[in-house]
Amino acid sequence: MKIWKEPFGTTKKGEAVERWWLENKNGTKAAVLTYGATLQSLIFADTDIALGFDTMEGYEAQDAYVGAVIGRFANRIGAGRFTLNGKTYDLYINNGPNHLHGGKEGFDKKIWRAEEQEDGLHLFYISPDGEENYPGTLEVEVCYYLDEEDALHISYLAKADQDTVVNLTNHAYFNLSGHGAGNLDDQKVCIYADRFTENDENCLPTGKILSVVGTPMDFREMQPVTARITEDDVQLVRGNGYDHNWIINGDGMRKCAEAVSETTGIYMETWTDQPGMQFYTANYLTPEKKGKDGADYHPRGAFCFETQGFPNATGFEHFPTPVLHVNEVYERKTIFRFRII
Ligand code: BGC
């Protein structure tokens, strides 16, 4: 794998942003920004399959978290409130009545320090105690590594100096027919999950776990993404499409999802050690914000496989705990593998 960097512009605050390129011997390339540790491009078989923007102005004008690493807590926390060790913390409310994706200025908007190491590109961010009102200083390290078999590995490490809550993910938007293809009608998805977490009308898990059987959430076998998306199903109506946390079968590092484009033949396999995955069909993308090469990004014009701990896990004992204790290490990994079929 070759790694090099170039300047990518400056933020409104005047911070310099770098773009780092990773390339393997097949010519597969990934571009990662120090702004948000963002995956800005993913070029496989001469096709850029990850949505992104050409400039920092583009990134700062959008609110869809395109390609970014999300933290300190990915997805929603009900009413932005949680209690840890007897103390209640109130977080920023930025999504209806709830807290979403780390708050007003989450990890997606921070400048990360990048360093090339033997096993890939490492990005570092130190989230101070009390940032966005979360307890404890959290040291975070994300590593991107592109192997010679066209798999992109994203590893997450974090540790805190006090007990805190953590949920990290990557918010890449994929369109396997090309980032500007505009819809998902030629794409199929499979998710290795028998169950998902029910959402309320604000897309917040209610705590109830539902079976996918007999519902439009059943992706246990490859299904066309959009075949059932407009059905009058209460969960789809609440999500304005797919925007739910699937409970991935099994545990440890395992295959959690697959996707394929019938147009390009690009097939993607996703592996993770996380318990859940938010399958989100970009229901709120807005075309007025031009993407790379002037592309129009439409609602349902891409999908995200956000491997994660369960959203709203701070509220439920029966969800996997999001608590990271002092002196523990948070360690998670996701792999996106590509091939042509
Ligand atoms: C959330 C969506 C949200 C999107 C972009 C997803 O993880 O579940 O509801 O619109 O991120 O912010």
Side-chain angles (χ1 to χ4, degrees), residues 266-286:
I266 297 177
Y267 163 88
M268 174 171 108
E269 200 171 272
T270 303
W271 290 64
T272 193
D273 55 9
Q274 290 274 26
M277 186 183 86
Q278 191 84 7
F279 172 48
Y280 173 55
T281 42
N283 310 317
Y284 299 106
L285 268 188
T286 43

mmCIF file with all atom_site columns, all heavy atoms in Angstrom, residues 266-286:
data_model
loop_
_atom_site.group_PDB
_atom_site.id
_atom_site.type_symbol
_atom_site.label_atom_id
_atom_site.label_alt_id
_atom_site.label_comp_id
_atom_site.label_asym_id
_atom_site.label_entity_id
_atom_site.label_seq_id
_atom_site.pdbx_PDB_ins_code
_atom_site.Cartn_x
_atom_site.Cartn_y
_atom_site.Cartn_z
_atom_site.occupancy
_atom_site.B_iso_or_equiv
_atom_site.pdbx_formal_charge
_atom_site.auth_seq_id
_atom_site.auth_comp_id
_atom_site.auth_asym_id
_atom_site.auth_atom_id
_atom_site.pdbx_PDB_model_num
ATOM 1   N N   . ILE A 1 266 ? -20.073 -4.283  -9.081 1.00 0.00 ? 266 ILE A N   1
ATOM 2   C CA  . ILE A 1 266 ? -19.287 -4.078  -7.857 1.00 0.00 ? 266 ILE A CA  1
ATOM 3   C C   . ILE A 1 266 ? -20.051 -4.669  -6.668 1.00 0.00 ? 266 ILE A C   1
ATOM 4   O O   . ILE A 1 266 ? -21.235 -4.366  -6.451 1.00 0.00 ? 266 ILE A O   1
ATOM 5   C CB  . ILE A 1 266 ? -18.946 -2.596  -7.626 1.00 0.00 ? 266 ILE A CB  1
ATOM 6   C CG1 . ILE A 1 266 ? -18.058 -2.083  -8.773 1.00 0.00 ? 266 ILE A CG1 1
ATOM 7   C CG2 . ILE A 1 266 ? -18.255 -2.402  -6.262 1.00 0.00 ? 266 ILE A CG2 1
ATOM 8   C CD1 . ILE A 1 266 ? -17.706 -0.611  -8.711 1.00 0.00 ? 266 ILE A CD1 1
ATOM 9   N N   . TYR A 1 267 ? -19.341 -5.530  -5.963 1.00 0.00 ? 267 TYR A N   1
ATOM 10  C CA  . TYR A 1 267 ? -19.919 -6.252  -4.830 1.00 0.00 ? 267 TYR A CA  1
ATOM 11  C C   . TYR A 1 267 ? -19.130 -5.873  -3.584 1.00 0.00 ? 267 TYR A C   1
ATOM 12  O O   . TYR A 1 267 ? -17.900 -5.802  -3.618 1.00 0.00 ? 267 TYR A O   1
ATOM 13  C CB  . TYR A 1 267 ? -19.816 -7.750  -5.117 1.00 0.00 ? 267 TYR A CB  1
ATOM 14  C CG  . TYR A 1 267 ? -19.979 -8.649  -3.927 1.00 0.00 ? 267 TYR A CG  1
ATOM 15  C CD1 . TYR A 1 267 ? -21.239 -9.090  -3.525 1.00 0.00 ? 267 TYR A CD1 1
ATOM 16  C CD2 . TYR A 1 267 ? -18.856 -9.070  -3.201 1.00 0.00 ? 267 TYR A CD2 1
ATOM 17  C CE1 . TYR A 1 267 ? -21.370 -9.928  -2.423 1.00 0.00 ? 267 TYR A CE1 1
ATOM 18  C CE2 . TYR A 1 267 ? -18.988 -9.898  -2.105 1.00 0.00 ? 267 TYR A CE2 1
ATOM 19  C CZ  . TYR A 1 267 ? -20.255 -10.316 -1.721 1.00 0.00 ? 267 TYR A CZ  1
ATOM 20  O OH  . TYR A 1 267 ? -20.374 -11.131 -0.639 1.00 0.00 ? 267 TYR A OH  1
ATOM 21  N N   . MET A 1 268 ? -19.842 -5.593  -2.515 1.00 0.00 ? 268 MET A N   1
ATOM 22  C CA  . MET A 1 268 ? -19.190 -5.181  -1.270 1.00 0.00 ? 268 MET A CA  1
ATOM 23  C C   . MET A 1 268 ? -19.647 -6.100  -0.144 1.00 0.00 ? 268 MET A C   1
ATOM 24  O O   . MET A 1 268 ? -20.833 -6.365  -0.010 1.00 0.00 ? 268 MET A O   1
ATOM 25  C CB  . MET A 1 268 ? -19.606 -3.744  -0.952 1.00 0.00 ? 268 MET A CB  1
ATOM 26  C CG  . MET A 1 268 ? -19.124 -3.251  0.381  1.00 0.00 ? 268 MET A CG  1
ATOM 27  S SD  . MET A 1 268 ? -19.435 -1.467  0.532  1.00 0.00 ? 268 MET A SD  1
ATOM 28  C CE  . MET A 1 268 ? -20.751 -1.502  1.700  1.00 0.00 ? 268 MET A CE  1
ATOM 29  N N   . GLU A 1 269 ? -18.679 -6.557  0.607  1.00 0.00 ? 269 GLU A N   1
ATOM 30  C CA  . GLU A 1 269 ? -18.966 -7.413  1.759  1.00 0.00 ? 269 GLU A CA  1
ATOM 31  C C   . GLU A 1 269 ? -18.523 -6.624  2.983  1.00 0.00 ? 269 GLU A C   1
ATOM 32  O O   . GLU A 1 269 ? -17.451 -6.024  2.964  1.00 0.00 ? 269 GLU A O   1
ATOM 33  C CB  . GLU A 1 269 ? -18.099 -8.649  1.597  1.00 0.00 ? 269 GLU A CB  1
ATOM 34  C CG  . GLU A 1 269 ? -18.521 -9.844  2.359  1.00 0.00 ? 269 GLU A CG  1
ATOM 35  C CD  . GLU A 1 269 ? -17.685 -11.049 1.899  1.00 0.00 ? 269 GLU A CD  1
ATOM 36  O OE1 . GLU A 1 269 ? -18.086 -11.713 0.936  1.00 0.00 ? 269 GLU A OE1 1
ATOM 37  O OE2 . GLU A 1 269 ? -16.632 -11.294 2.499  1.00 0.00 ? 269 GLU A OE2 1
ATOM 38  N N   . THR A 1 270 ? -19.315 -6.616  4.037  1.00 0.00 ? 270 THR A N   1
ATOM 39  C CA  . THR A 1 270 ? -18.949 -5.858  5.241  1.00 0.00 ? 270 THR A CA  1
ATOM 40  C C   . THR A 1 270 ? -18.817 -6.820  6.413  1.00 0.00 ? 270 THR A C   1
ATOM 41  O O   . THR A 1 270 ? -19.692 -7.667  6.618  1.00 0.00 ? 270 THR A O   1
ATOM 42  C CB  . THR A 1 270 ? -20.006 -4.770  5.532  1.00 0.00 ? 270 THR A CB  1
ATOM 43  O OG1 . THR A 1 270 ? -20.094 -3.940  4.385  1.00 0.00 ? 270 THR A OG1 1
ATOM 44  C CG2 . THR A 1 270 ? -19.625 -3.931  6.737  1.00 0.00 ? 270 THR A CG2 1
ATOM 45  N N   . TRP A 1 271 ? -17.726 -6.684  7.130  1.00 0.00 ? 271 TRP A N   1
ATOM 46  C CA  . TRP A 1 271 ? -17.452 -7.499  8.310  1.00 0.00 ? 271 TRP A CA  1
ATOM 47  C C   . TRP A 1 271 ? -17.284 -6.571  9.503  1.00 0.00 ? 271 TRP A C   1
ATOM 48  O O   . TRP A 1 271 ? -16.732 -5.472  9.359  1.00 0.00 ? 271 TRP A O   1
ATOM 49  C CB  . TRP A 1 271 ? -16.145 -8.284  8.133  1.00 0.00 ? 271 TRP A CB  1
ATOM 50  C CG  . TRP A 1 271 ? -16.217 -9.378  7.115  1.00 0.00 ? 271 TRP A CG  1
ATOM 51  C CD1 . TRP A 1 271 ? -16.424 -9.242  5.776  1.00 0.00 ? 271 TRP A CD1 1
ATOM 52  C CD2 . TRP A 1 271 ? -16.072 -10.777 7.376  1.00 0.00 ? 271 TRP A CD2 1
ATOM 53  N NE1 . TRP A 1 271 ? -16.416 -10.474 5.169  1.00 0.00 ? 271 TRP A NE1 1
ATOM 54  C CE2 . TRP A 1 271 ? -16.202 -11.435 6.126  1.00 0.00 ? 271 TRP A CE2 1
ATOM 55  C CE3 . TRP A 1 271 ? -15.844 -11.536 8.528  1.00 0.00 ? 271 TRP A CE3 1
ATOM 56  C CZ2 . TRP A 1 271 ? -16.114 -12.822 6.001  1.00 0.00 ? 271 TRP A CZ2 1
ATOM 57  C CZ3 . TRP A 1 271 ? -15.752 -12.917 8.399  1.00 0.00 ? 271 TRP A CZ3 1
ATOM 58  C CH2 . TRP A 1 271 ? -15.891 -13.549 7.154  1.00 0.00 ? 271 TRP A CH2 1
ATOM 59  N N   . THR A 1 272 ? -17.736 -7.001  10.662 1.00 0.00 ? 272 THR A N   1
ATOM 60  C CA  . THR A 1 272 ? -17.551 -6.164  11.846 1.00 0.00 ? 272 THR A CA  1
ATOM 61  C C   . THR A 1 272 ? -17.569 -6.998  13.118 1.00 0.00 ? 272 THR A C   1
ATOM 62  O O   . THR A 1 272 ? -18.095 -8.120  13.124 1.00 0.00 ? 272 THR A O   1
ATOM 63  C CB  . THR A 1 272 ? -18.650 -5.079  11.933 1.00 0.00 ? 272 THR A CB  1
ATOM 64  O OG1 . THR A 1 272 ? -18.275 -4.109  12.911 1.00 0.00 ? 272 THR A OG1 1
ATOM 65  C CG2 . THR A 1 272 ? -20.017 -5.652  12.306 1.00 0.00 ? 272 THR A CG2 1
ATOM 66  N N   . ASP A 1 273 ? -17.036 -6.410  14.184 1.00 0.00 ? 273 ASP A N   1
ATOM 67  C CA  . ASP A 1 273 ? -17.185 -7.022  15.514 1.00 0.00 ? 273 ASP A CA  1
ATOM 68  C C   . ASP A 1 273 ? -18.201 -6.241  16.348 1.00 0.00 ? 273 ASP A C   1
ATOM 69  O O   . ASP A 1 273 ? -18.334 -6.476  17.547 1.00 0.00 ? 273 ASP A O   1
ATOM 70  C CB  . ASP A 1 273 ? -15.829 -7.122  16.224 1.00 0.00 ? 273 ASP A CB  1
ATOM 71  C CG  . ASP A 1 273 ? -15.111 -5.789  16.313 1.00 0.00 ? 273 ASP A CG  1
ATOM 72  O OD1 . ASP A 1 273 ? -15.706 -4.745  15.994 1.00 0.00 ? 273 ASP A OD1 1
ATOM 73  O OD2 . ASP A 1 273 ? -13.931 -5.786  16.726 1.00 0.00 ? 273 ASP A OD2 1
ATOM 74  N N   . GLN A 1 274 ? -18.896 -5.313  15.712 1.00 0.00 ? 274 GLN A N   1
ATOM 75  C CA  . GLN A 1 274 ? -19.899 -4.510  16.425 1.00 0.00 ? 274 GLN A CA  1
ATOM 76  C C   . GLN A 1 274 ? -21.219 -5.291  16.537 1.00 0.00 ? 274 GLN A C   1
ATOM 77  O O   . GLN A 1 274 ? -21.528 -6.116  15.672 1.00 0.00 ? 274 GLN A O   1
ATOM 78  C CB  . GLN A 1 274 ? -20.181 -3.232  15.632 1.00 0.00 ? 274 GLN A CB  1
ATOM 79  C CG  . GLN A 1 274 ? -19.035 -2.238  15.635 1.00 0.00 ? 274 GLN A CG  1
ATOM 80  C CD  . GLN A 1 274 ? -19.081 -1.334  16.860 1.00 0.00 ? 274 GLN A CD  1
ATOM 81  O OE1 . GLN A 1 274 ? -19.626 -1.689  17.911 1.00 0.00 ? 274 GLN A OE1 1
ATOM 82  N NE2 . GLN A 1 274 ? -18.514 -0.159  16.729 1.00 0.00 ? 274 GLN A NE2 1
ATOM 83  N N   . PRO A 1 275 ? -22.033 -5.001  17.547 1.00 0.00 ? 275 PRO A N   1
ATOM 84  C CA  . PRO A 1 275 ? -23.301 -5.729  17.677 1.00 0.00 ? 275 PRO A CA  1
ATOM 85  C C   . PRO A 1 275 ? -24.389 -5.284  16.702 1.00 0.00 ? 275 PRO A C   1
ATOM 86  O O   . PRO A 1 275 ? -25.311 -6.046  16.416 1.00 0.00 ? 275 PRO A O   1
ATOM 87  C CB  . PRO A 1 275 ? -23.732 -5.430  19.122 1.00 0.00 ? 275 PRO A CB  1
ATOM 88  C CG  . PRO A 1 275 ? -23.036 -4.159  19.492 1.00 0.00 ? 275 PRO A CG  1
ATOM 89  C CD  . PRO A 1 275 ? -21.753 -4.135  18.712 1.00 0.00 ? 275 PRO A CD  1
ATOM 90  N N   . GLY A 1 276 ? -24.299 -4.045  16.211 1.00 0.00 ? 276 GLY A N   1
ATOM 91  C CA  . GLY A 1 276 ? -25.382 -3.531  15.368 1.00 0.00 ? 276 GLY A CA  1
ATOM 92  C C   . GLY A 1 276 ? -24.896 -2.856  14.112 1.00 0.00 ? 276 GLY A C   1
ATOM 93  O O   . GLY A 1 276 ? -23.695 -2.606  13.937 1.00 0.00 ? 276 GLY A O   1
ATOM 94  N N   . MET A 1 277 ? -25.841 -2.600  13.213 1.00 0.00 ? 277 MET A N   1
ATOM 95  C CA  . MET A 1 277 ? -25.526 -1.846  11.999 1.00 0.00 ? 277 MET A CA  1
ATOM 96  C C   . MET A 1 277 ? -26.736 -1.001  11.610 1.00 0.00 ? 277 MET A C   1
ATOM 97  O O   . MET A 1 277 ? -27.848 -1.530  11.452 1.00 0.00 ? 277 MET A O   1
ATOM 98  C CB  . MET A 1 277 ? -25.161 -2.792  10.855 1.00 0.00 ? 277 MET A CB  1
ATOM 99  C CG  . MET A 1 277 ? -24.696 -2.029  9.620  1.00 0.00 ? 277 MET A CG  1
ATOM 100 S SD  . MET A 1 277 ? -24.339 -3.115  8.218  1.00 0.00 ? 277 MET A SD  1
ATOM 101 C CE  . MET A 1 277 ? -25.971 -3.272  7.507  1.00 0.00 ? 277 MET A CE  1
ATOM 102 N N   . GLN A 1 278 ? -26.532 0.311   11.482 1.00 0.00 ? 278 GLN A N   1
ATOM 103 C CA  . GLN A 1 278 ? -27.579 1.198   10.995 1.00 0.00 ? 278 GLN A CA  1
ATOM 104 C C   . GLN A 1 278 ? -27.544 1.117   9.472  1.00 0.00 ? 278 GLN A C   1
ATOM 105 O O   . GLN A 1 278 ? -26.555 1.496   8.847  1.00 0.00 ? 278 GLN A O   1
ATOM 106 C CB  . GLN A 1 278 ? -27.294 2.647   11.455 1.00 0.00 ? 278 GLN A CB  1
ATOM 107 C CG  . GLN A 1 278 ? -28.449 3.612   11.243 1.00 0.00 ? 278 GLN A CG  1
ATOM 108 C CD  . GLN A 1 278 ? -29.465 3.565   12.374 1.00 0.00 ? 278 GLN A CD  1
ATOM 109 O OE1 . GLN A 1 278 ? -29.258 2.894   13.392 1.00 0.00 ? 278 GLN A OE1 1
ATOM 110 N NE2 . GLN A 1 278 ? -30.573 4.252   12.227 1.00 0.00 ? 278 GLN A NE2 1
ATOM 111 N N   . PHE A 1 279 ? -28.606 0.560   8.916  1.00 0.00 ? 279 PHE A N   1
ATOM 112 C CA  . PHE A 1 279 ? -28.732 0.559   7.458  1.00 0.00 ? 279 PHE A CA  1
ATOM 113 C C   . PHE A 1 279 ? -29.595 1.762   7.142  1.00 0.00 ? 279 PHE A C   1
ATOM 114 O O   . PHE A 1 279 ? -30.773 1.831   7.518  1.00 0.00 ? 279 PHE A O   1
ATOM 115 C CB  . PHE A 1 279 ? -29.372 -0.743  6.984  1.00 0.00 ? 279 PHE A CB  1
ATOM 116 C CG  . PHE A 1 279 ? -29.717 -0.757  5.512  1.00 0.00 ? 279 PHE A CG  1
ATOM 117 C CD1 . PHE A 1 279 ? -28.802 -0.361  4.553  1.00 0.00 ? 279 PHE A CD1 1
ATOM 118 C CD2 . PHE A 1 279 ? -30.973 -1.181  5.090  1.00 0.00 ? 279 PHE A CD2 1
ATOM 119 C CE1 . PHE A 1 279 ? -29.124 -0.365  3.196  1.00 0.00 ? 279 PHE A CE1 1
ATOM 120 C CE2 . PHE A 1 279 ? -31.306 -1.201  3.749  1.00 0.00 ? 279 PHE A CE2 1
ATOM 121 C CZ  . PHE A 1 279 ? -30.386 -0.787  2.805  1.00 0.00 ? 279 PHE A CZ  1
ATOM 122 N N   . TYR A 1 280 ? -28.979 2.740   6.480  1.00 0.00 ? 280 TYR A N   1
ATOM 123 C CA  . TYR A 1 280 ? -29.630 4.034   6.246  1.00 0.00 ? 280 TYR A CA  1
ATOM 124 C C   . TYR A 1 280 ? -29.605 4.308   4.749  1.00 0.00 ? 280 TYR A C   1
ATOM 125 O O   . TYR A 1 280 ? -28.536 4.260   4.127  1.00 0.00 ? 280 TYR A O   1
ATOM 126 C CB  . TYR A 1 280 ? -28.855 5.111   7.033  1.00 0.00 ? 280 TYR A CB  1
ATOM 127 C CG  . TYR A 1 280 ? -29.291 6.529   6.764  1.00 0.00 ? 280 TYR A CG  1
ATOM 128 C CD1 . TYR A 1 280 ? -30.619 6.917   6.910  1.00 0.00 ? 280 TYR A CD1 1
ATOM 129 C CD2 . TYR A 1 280 ? -28.375 7.495   6.366  1.00 0.00 ? 280 TYR A CD2 1
ATOM 130 C CE1 . TYR A 1 280 ? -31.017 8.226   6.669  1.00 0.00 ? 280 TYR A CE1 1
ATOM 131 C CE2 . TYR A 1 280 ? -28.753 8.805   6.121  1.00 0.00 ? 280 TYR A CE2 1
ATOM 132 C CZ  . TYR A 1 280 ? -30.081 9.159   6.278  1.00 0.00 ? 280 TYR A CZ  1
ATOM 133 O OH  . TYR A 1 280 ? -30.468 10.455  6.032  1.00 0.00 ? 280 TYR A OH  1
ATOM 134 N N   . THR A 1 281 ? -30.770 4.592   4.172  1.00 0.00 ? 281 THR A N   1
ATOM 135 C CA  . THR A 1 281 ? -30.838 4.781   2.721  1.00 0.00 ? 281 THR A CA  1
ATOM 136 C C   . THR A 1 281 ? -30.814 6.265   2.344  1.00 0.00 ? 281 THR A C   1
ATOM 137 O O   . THR A 1 281 ? -31.477 6.673   1.384  1.00 0.00 ? 281 THR A O   1
ATOM 138 C CB  . THR A 1 281 ? -32.077 4.066   2.132  1.00 0.00 ? 281 THR A CB  1
ATOM 139 O OG1 . THR A 1 281 ? -33.205 4.287   2.980  1.00 0.00 ? 281 THR A OG1 1
ATOM 140 C CG2 . THR A 1 281 ? -31.827 2.582   1.998  1.00 0.00 ? 281 THR A CG2 1
ATOM 141 N N   . ALA A 1 282 ? -30.044 7.048   3.097  1.00 0.00 ? 282 ALA A N   1
ATOM 142 C CA  . ALA A 1 282 ? -29.788 8.451   2.730  1.00 0.00 ? 282 ALA A CA  1
ATOM 143 C C   . ALA A 1 282 ? -31.089 9.215   2.498  1.00 0.00 ? 282 ALA A C   1
ATOM 144 O O   . ALA A 1 282 ? -31.200 9.997   1.547  1.00 0.00 ? 282 ALA A O   1
ATOM 145 C CB  . ALA A 1 282 ? -28.891 8.508   1.496  1.00 0.00 ? 282 ALA A CB  1
ATOM 146 N N   . ASN A 1 283 ? -32.043 8.980   3.388  1.00 0.00 ? 283 ASN A N   1
ATOM 147 C CA  . ASN A 1 283 ? -33.382 9.535   3.176  1.00 0.00 ? 283 ASN A CA  1
ATOM 148 C C   . ASN A 1 283 ? -33.430 11.054  3.233  1.00 0.00 ? 283 ASN A C   1
ATOM 149 O O   . ASN A 1 283 ? -34.394 11.664  2.789  1.00 0.00 ? 283 ASN A O   1
ATOM 150 C CB  . ASN A 1 283 ? -34.337 8.945   4.216  1.00 0.00 ? 283 ASN A CB  1
ATOM 151 C CG  . ASN A 1 283 ? -34.218 7.434   4.265  1.00 0.00 ? 283 ASN A CG  1
ATOM 152 O OD1 . ASN A 1 283 ? -34.146 6.789   3.222  1.00 0.00 ? 283 ASN A OD1 1
ATOM 153 N ND2 . ASN A 1 283 ? -34.155 6.855   5.456  1.00 0.00 ? 283 ASN A ND2 1
ATOM 154 N N   . TYR A 1 284 ? -32.377 11.655  3.806  1.00 0.00 ? 284 TYR A N   1
ATOM 155 C CA  . TYR A 1 284 ? -32.402 13.115  3.974  1.00 0.00 ? 284 TYR A CA  1
ATOM 156 C C   . TYR A 1 284 ? -31.300 13.822  3.200  1.00 0.00 ? 284 TYR A C   1
ATOM 157 O O   . TYR A 1 284 ? -30.971 14.964  3.496  1.00 0.00 ? 284 TYR A O   1
ATOM 158 C CB  . TYR A 1 284 ? -32.331 13.470  5.477  1.00 0.00 ? 284 TYR A CB  1
ATOM 159 C CG  . TYR A 1 284 ? -33.504 12.896  6.238  1.00 0.00 ? 284 TYR A CG  1
ATOM 160 C CD1 . TYR A 1 284 ? -33.344 11.787  7.070  1.00 0.00 ? 284 TYR A CD1 1
ATOM 161 C CD2 . TYR A 1 284 ? -34.783 13.431  6.084  1.00 0.00 ? 284 TYR A CD2 1
ATOM 162 C CE1 . TYR A 1 284 ? -34.430 11.231  7.741  1.00 0.00 ? 284 TYR A CE1 1
ATOM 163 C CE2 . TYR A 1 284 ? -35.868 12.884  6.744  1.00 0.00 ? 284 TYR A CE2 1
ATOM 164 C CZ  . TYR A 1 284 ? -35.683 11.779  7.570  1.00 0.00 ? 284 TYR A CZ  1
ATOM 165 O OH  . TYR A 1 284 ? -36.761 11.241  8.212  1.00 0.00 ? 284 TYR A OH  1
ATOM 166 N N   . LEU A 1 285 ? -30.735 13.148  2.203  1.00 0.00 ? 285 LEU A N   1
ATOM 167 C CA  . LEU A 1 285 ? -29.724 13.847  1.377  1.00 0.00 ? 285 LEU A CA  1
ATOM 168 C C   . LEU A 1 285 ? -30.440 14.909  0.554  1.00 0.00 ? 285 LEU A C   1
ATOM 169 O O   . LEU A 1 285 ? -31.552 14.691  0.071  1.00 0.00 ? 285 LEU A O   1
ATOM 170 C CB  . LEU A 1 285 ? -29.050 12.877  0.402  1.00 0.00 ? 285 LEU A CB  1
ATOM 171 C CG  . LEU A 1 285 ? -27.775 12.179  0.828  1.00 0.00 ? 285 LEU A CG  1
ATOM 172 C CD1 . LEU A 1 285 ? -27.200 11.441  -0.379 1.00 0.00 ? 285 LEU A CD1 1
ATOM 173 C CD2 . LEU A 1 285 ? -26.740 13.125  1.396  1.00 0.00 ? 285 LEU A CD2 1
ATOM 174 N N   . THR A 1 286 ? -29.759 16.044  0.352  1.00 0.00 ? 286 THR A N   1
ATOM 175 C CA  . THR A 1 286 ? -30.411 17.123  -0.388 1.00 0.00 ? 286 THR A CA  1
ATOM 176 C C   . THR A 1 286 ? -29.618 17.449  -1.653 1.00 0.00 ? 286 THR A C   1
ATOM 177 O O   . THR A 1 286 ? -28.419 17.683  -1.591 1.00 0.00 ? 286 THR A O   1
ATOM 178 C CB  . THR A 1 286 ? -30.529 18.377  0.497  1.00 0.00 ? 286 THR A CB  1
ATOM 179 O OG1 . THR A 1 286 ? -29.293 18.540  1.177  1.00 0.00 ? 286 THR A OG1 1
ATOM 180 C CG2 . THR A 1 286 ? -31.651 18.252  1.489  1.00 0.00 ? 286 THR A CG2 1
#
